[in-house]
Amino acid sequence: MNLLDDLGTVLSSSLRLTAPLAFAACGEYLAERAGTLNISVEAMMLGAAFSSVAVAGATGSATTGLAAGVLTGALIGLIHGNLAHRLTINTFVVGLVLNALVLGLTSFLIAGATFGSRPPQRWPLLLLPGIVLLTWWLVERSRWGLELRAVGENPRAADMTGIRVGLRRRQALLWCGALAGLGGAYLAVGEVGSFNQNMTAGRGYLVIAAVIFGGWRLGRTLVGCAVFGLADALRLALPALGVTLNSQLLIAAPYLLALLAMVLFATRHRRPRALGKPFVRQEP
Amino acid sequence: MGALTLRGITKRYGTVVACDAVDLDVERGEIHGLLGENGAGKSTLMRILLGLETRDAGTILRDGRPVTAGSPREAVALGIGMVHQHFSLVEPLTVWENVILGDTGRIRRSRACAEIHEMSQRYGLPVDPLATVASLSAGERQRVELIKCLRRDPAVLILDEPTSVLTRAESAELFAVLRRVVRSEGRAVVLISHKLAEITAATDRVTVLRHGRVVFRSATAATDVAELARQMVGREVADAAALGLIPAAPHVPEKAQGDPALRIRGLTAPGLTGIDLEVRPGEIAGLYGAEGNGQAQIGDVLCGLVTPDAGTVEVGGVPVDLRTPGALHTAGLGIVPEDRHRAAVVPAMSVAANLTMKDLGTRVWLDRRRLRRRARELAAEFGVVATSLDAPLSSLSGGNQQRVVLARELSGDPRVLVLAQPTQGLDVGAAEDLHERLRRCAHDGMAVLLISTEIEEVLGLADRVLVIASGRVAGELHAAEATPEQLGMLVGGGAG
């Protein structure tokens, strides 16, 4: 093996590890522009990873599996949206509960079932450019996106103008769920070909870190995903390249990097002003 | 047949009657003034009209047809548009994006821009459709609001305290536009205000609300300022000038002497550039300017909410380390902040606890009996009306909450007292009381800094007026030589 081959291997593997993050980040980016902060991205990805493998195993079709993953993510987005933006329960509490619930549920279900392994299906990667463009167009050019941004910046003004704040936020979470679901499903069906307990291992949180790293801009958010993907690929490649490092430390590398990125960049950017703040119509 | 007719509109919040069988008739082609103190029910009435609030009883007629708006969007469809007191614009968005917000269908930028351009020509409201709202001045934002509202072609245009953030020149410009809207386009305008001068200058007819009831209506030409003031407050008002009810009379300054008790040098923070300011013992210094020009930031610095980038604050000649929490308080500065609930009180805690919060002693445990006694003394001295000292502070009226804040701040016997917009949201009685106490503080040798956007309040109380514009001190006038016109010029000059 020469250096060029090694480089190629690391790059292609980092692309494949970036993709699940990038799909989900497109969703989370849009949701955060609407002012919702949902740590349930992790639950969306993990739930979708499980359901996609289960459905793909049962039907023998990877496409059906992916679709099941998208639906699972959207369902979790729907639940989160209704709890946080209809019943106005604290969005972090909802996110924590959903994450714990999905982790427990998938761990329990996988213990009693064997889905076996299937060959990876990498073609969904081709959807990524389209999804990125669509997300950008929706946020920056469509009326729906304009209303989402208004809701994320100044929900009261949006309300006065006649925009239904809660509805827009629930819709944003639905989009986020579907894309995070696609990311999770791609990780399981497209990349690994099977489901392991807690297989997303905090990737949902990395997605949120990427949006912050990107300063609530889509392009930079994707750069953030790529950085985390590269760190992940290096973690896998280094031992094979003969570099011996503490493996526990290597596993932690992307997360340490995310932490570092947050420290360096989190306060520099202007975030949506109403991010994470519930909206309740009240006295002036 | 009126463009807008209200009959018997009633709204209760619990036991409080916000609107009590209100009748209102607004004709096409007139500017109708709706006058009342804070809390008289003006805003509630308009929120009902806009569908932000449901009414308990009454009918709304638009051109004779009974209507009910369930949401602001439905109100627009009924031909009712509103320009809000605090702008309902989304700052990071551009002007054209804000204007088309709430429409439906595809977004067409060039068409939206052309439309805005055409409207700004027609009404004389110059504005750049591609500018970001965050970069606009208060006057420009007002124009955007107006364009946004007029573009929906409302038959009835409601303006809620539209001049609270404007300079005098900007206010005059606004009223000129409203005249045009009324005369040449036959719309009806409802102008909500608590400023008498504005009502008499700009309206054709006037309706006065007091405690949720209509107490007076008249053609504006057939009444005068004194009559309106009496109707609005319900009695003769002694402190009318400082309350902005009538034009201020020349004010004889107190004799200020000695070294400054408060000295600010080169204070620079977000929104402020190199502020220099001195207040001497025994004087009331007024800091006046239109909203959004940096007064709020000075208040925040003196509250300790914001650490300045540069500059020094000296209290009694001793520099204060602003990074240490509570340093200003220890140095002998009392402050009544602009936003009570954000920075001055804990609404859910008891009246007693709020009164003694700055006087807890240094021991590990609290001397409850002493605190209780102290709270009782302060409440009596400052005339705080509460059902019980153990009731949560939030159960008190705005005026009584403000008395609690003032009592607590003065209880520490400060050298310097700073007040930011102290009478905002207070009824006339409470405001009079507060003004009287301020005069007494200054008389007793305290240095008082009054930060206000109400020109009348500043002229009525201050011995010396500093004008702030765009985050800088634009000028200083002695009370004897300060006139509204001069102040207006300083404010406008700095802002432009």
Side-chain angles (χ1 to χ4, degrees):
Chain A
M1 280 225 273
N2 60 36
L3 195 65
L4 222 56
D5 281 348
D6 293 344
L7 198 65
T9 315
V10 169
L11 281 183
S12 76
S13 111
S14 74
L15 172 65
R16 286 183 276 114
L17 289 167
T18 298
L21 300 178
F23 281 123
C26 284
E28 180 63 11
Y29 161 78
L30 183 137
E32 291 203 16
R33 288 303 296 269
T36 73
L37 190 50
N38 52 313
I39 56 172
S40 59
V41 197
E42 176 72 7
M44 294 166 178
M45 292 182 79
L46 185 62
F50 175 83
S51 70
S52 64
V53 168
V55 170
T59 62
S61 153
T63 315
T64 322
L66 281 171
V70 170
L71 285 178
T72 307
L75 177 69
I76 295 172
L78 187 74
I79 294 171
H80 190 130
N82 277 287
L83 291 178
H85 301 293
R86 199 190 284 276
L87 301 177
T88 60
I89 303 171
N90 182 304
T91 184
F92 294 100
V93 174
V94 173
L96 279 173
V97 168
L98 285 173
N99 287 350
L101 179 72
V102 170
L103 177 60
L105 200 61
T106 52
S107 302
F108 167 72
L109 290 174
I110 195 68
T114 42
F115 300 125
S117 224
R118 298 164 47 80
Q121 298 279 334
R122 301 233 157 88
W123 59 266
L125 264 183
L126 300 175
L127 295 175
L128 186 56
I131 297 241
V132 170
L133 280 176
L134 181 60
T135 301
W136 175 85
W137 184 86
L138 280 173
V139 171
E140 300 295 338
R141 288 288 178 269
S142 77
R143 177 169 298 279
W144 186 63
L146 177 63
E147 296 189 358
L148 286 186
R149 282 183 282 143
V151 162
E153 293 289 348
N154 190 343
R156 179 177 280 187
D159 182 51
M160 293 279 191
T161 315
I163 297 167
R164 290 176 61 190
V165 175
L167 179 70
R168 286 287 171 271
R169 288 186 167 171
R170 294 197 294 275
Q171 290 167 341
L173 277 175
L174 216 52
W175 174 264
C176 176
L179 287 192
L182 184 57
Y186 173 76
L187 179 72
V189 174
E191 205 50 48
V192 180
S194 66
F195 181 84
N196 321 311
Q197 185 183 347
N198 191 22
M199 79 177 299
T200 50
R203 280 186 175 78
Y205 301 119
L206 282 184
V207 165
I208 295 168
V211 175
I212 297 172
F213 172 85
W216 291 272
R217 297 206 213 159
L218 186 53
R220 296 182 185 189
T221 297
L222 294 173
V223 170
C225 292
V227 170
F228 298 145
L230 181 67
D232 216 10
L234 282 173
R235 167 175 75 87
L236 296 174
L238 284 180
L241 298 173
V243 182
T244 47
L245 268 175
N246 183 314
S247 66
Q248 308 295 328
L249 205 63
L250 277 174
I251 291 173
Y255 305 101
L256 285 175
L257 199 65
L259 195 64
L260 189 70
M262 306 275 255
V263 172
L264 289 179
F265 299 106
T267 53
R268 286 208 192 155
H269 301 291
R270 230 196 58 75
R271 58 188 206 158
R273 202 168 294 165
L275 186 64
K277 290 184 190 150
F279 174 73
V280 185
R281 190 186 280 177
Q282 51 187 210
E283 279 293 280
Chain B
M1 184 173 59
L4 181 69
T5 308
L6 306 186
R7 284 287 170 266
I9 301 291
T10 301
K11 174 74 186 176
R12 288 185 196 83
Y13 298 105
T15 54
V16 181
V17 185
C19 293
D20 189 358
V22 172
D23 294 347
L24 182 71
D25 297 275
V26 184
E27 307 288 339
R28 279 179 178 275
E30 74 165 356
I31 300 181
H32 194 110
L34 188 60
L35 181 69
E37 286 191 64
N38 290 303
K42 298 168 296 185
S43 291
T44 306
L45 195 62
M46 293 306 128
R47 288 172 66 81
I48 290 171
L49 264 178
L50 282 182
L52 288 165
E53 212 62 81
T54 52
R55 58 185 187 268
D56 297 334
T59 4
I60 301 173
L61 304 166
R62 263 278 295 117
D63 286 336
R65 277 182 308 114
V67 293
T68 295
S71 71
R73 189 172 284 200
E74 286 176 39
V76 167
L78 294 169
I80 301 171
M82 176 142 178
V83 174
H84 294 272
Q85 180 175 11
H86 286 102
F87 301 122
S88 61
L89 299 176
V90 184
E91 289 194 0
L93 300 184
T94 60
V95 168
W96 73 267
E97 284 176 324
N98 267 291
V99 168
I100 63 161
L101 206 58
D103 288 4
T104 50
R106 255 191 70 197
I107 292 184
R108 272 173 289 190
R109 187 174 95 163
S110 54
R111 208 173 109 178
C113 289
E115 230 176 301
I116 292 168
H117 193 70
E118 187 272 324
M119 291 192 64
S120 66
Q121 298 268 304
R122 175 153 40 114
Y123 293 109
L125 296 165
V127 66
D128 172 13
L130 295 178
T132 307
V133 168
S135 70
L136 302 182
S137 73
E140 289 170 315
R141 289 179 197 207
Q142 181 81 274
R143 290 181 209 147
V144 177
E145 282 270 357
L146 266 175
I147 288 179
K148 177 178 172 179
C149 200
L150 286 170
R151 186 169 156 274
R152 309 267 156 83
D153 195 23
V156 182
L157 180 63
I158 303 167
L159 296 104
D160 187 7
E161 304 278 1
T163 60
S164 64
V165 295
L166 301 183
T167 62
R168 285 187 152 235
E170 287 168 336
S171 303
E173 181 197 63
L174 169 70
F175 291 133
V177 172
L178 291 185
R179 281 272 153 241
R180 210 166 320 158
V181 164
V182 167
R183 295 273 178 273
S184 57
E185 301 187 353
R187 300 181 205 274
V189 170
V190 180
L191 178 67
I192 303 176
S193 181
H194 69 281
K195 293 183 188 169
L196 288 167
E198 206 166 285
I199 292 284
T200 47
T203 65
D204 302 308
R205 281 200 302 153
V206 57
T207 298
V208 181
L209 279 183
R210 188 169 76 226
H211 301 316
R213 278 191 204 162
V214 174
V215 290
F216 184 72
R217 55 184 114 226
S218 164
T220 311
T223 182
D224 58 24
V225 171
E227 172 72 21
L228 288 175
R230 197 162 47 242
Q231 293 297 349
M232 177 164 98
V233 183
R235 60 184 166 84
E236 297 294 338
V237 186
D239 195 21
L243 294 165
L245 301 181
I246 58 171
H251 172 83
V252 185
E254 298 270 337
K255 281 226 175 60
Q257 49 209 321
D259 293 331
L262 174 70
R263 176 186 274 153
I264 297 176
R265 282 273 163 274
L267 186 73
T268 302
L272 295 175
T273 330
I275 298 283
D276 292 330
L277 187 159
E278 284 180 358
V279 190
R280 285 168 201 286
E283 76 168 342
I284 302 181
L287 185 67
Y288 167 73
E291 203 171 299
N293 277 280
Q295 305 100 310
Q297 284 78 357
I298 291 190
D300 283 352
V301 169
L302 293 178
C303 277
L305 288 173
V306 170
T307 307
D309 302 327
T312 56
V313 174
E314 288 174 21
V315 176
V318 183
V320 180
D321 180 6
L322 295 171
R323 287 165 307 180
T324 315
L328 283 161
H329 162 59
T330 319
L333 184 135
I335 181 150
V336 178
E338 177 169 350
D339 188 342
R340 257 195 311 279
H341 291 143
R342 186 172 69 122
V345 295
V346 186
M349 277 166 59
S350 72
V351 176
N354 274 288
L355 274 168
T356 53
M357 211 177 282
K358 275 195 166 178
D359 190 22
L360 296 176
T362 48
R363 277 181 287 180
V364 178
W365 59 87
L366 295 174
D367 184 348
R368 292 173 48 109
R369 205 172 297 163
R370 182 182 69 81
L371 290 181
R372 185 115 201 118
R373 199 175 53 233
R374 191 84 183 100
R376 214 166 16 230
E377 283 167 15
L378 285 172
E381 186 185 337
F382 285 83
V384 175
V385 181
T387 47
S388 149
L389 287 180
D390 296 320
L393 187 91
S394 54
S395 67
L396 267 54
S397 71
N400 278 309
Q401 293 188 12
Q402 195 72 311
R403 283 190 188 114
V404 168
V405 177
L406 189 70
R408 185 188 65 211
E409 295 301 316
L410 289 177
S411 70
D413 238 344
R415 289 160 176 274
V416 182
L417 180 67
V418 179
L419 304 101
Q421 309 281 30
T423 53
Q424 205 167 57
L426 263 50
D427 63 42
V428 166
E432 269 183 309
D433 180 46
L434 188 108
H435 285 166
E436 197 37 52
R437 283 181 193 280
L438 290 191
R439 291 200 181 97
R440 228 174 310 151
C441 285
H443 188 75
D444 294 345
M446 205 178 285
V448 179
L449 176 64
L450 173 70
I451 305 173
S452 178
T453 55
E454 303 284 338
I455 200 166
E456 297 82 5
E457 183 169 65
V458 173
L459 285 176
L461 285 176
D463 306 311
R464 196 157 55 84
V465 183
L466 294 125
V467 176
I468 183 169
S470 305
R472 291 168 193 278
V473 175
E476 183 182 332
L477 295 168
H478 279 277
E481 60 195 30
T483 63
E485 289 70 30
Q486 269 175 317
L487 290 180
M489 256 158 62
L490 283 172
V491 168

